[in-house]
Amino acid sequence: MSLLPEFQTITGLIDNGHLLHDEISAMPRTSQRRMYGLMKEIMKDELIFVIEVEKRKLRVNHE
């Protein structure tokens, strides 16, 4: 099977992403779409958390 283009972009940014590429591409496209949707939610939540941590660090450093 082939990998969704969205996953190709993500796995290309990860060290040893080719291993994930191979694993995910073996799944049906419907599973890949569900996984990609979940990954987007998780990544958004993690990014919001990291932004808040960084903002706090900046505030502490400027005080």
Side-chain angles (χ1 to χ4, degrees):
M1 293 194 177
S2 64
L3 189 65
L4 290 176
E6 297 90 337
F7 269 131
Q8 289 176 3
T9 301
I10 291 171
T11 56
L13 298 173
I14 300 171
D15 291 340
N16 296 317
H18 64 281
L19 300 173
L20 294 172
H21 181 282
D22 295 343
E23 186 78 23
I24 297 167
S25 66
M27 297 178 178
R29 289 183 86 68
T30 54
S31 294
Q32 290 184 36
R33 284 190 188 93
R34 279 195 304 270
M35 272 184 48
Y36 182 70
L38 180 57
M39 268 185 65
K40 281 186 357 184
E41 286 181 46
I42 292 169
M43 289 170 59
K44 182 182 105 183
D45 292 343
E46 288 180 354
L47 185 55
I48 290 169
F49 174 77
V50 170
I51 289 169
E52 289 303 316
V53 168
E54 193 60 30
K55 284 169 43 179
R56 285 185 198 141
K57 284 181 185 177
L58 289 171
R59 277 195 296 264
V60 168
N61 288 337
H62 287 293
E63 292 178 355

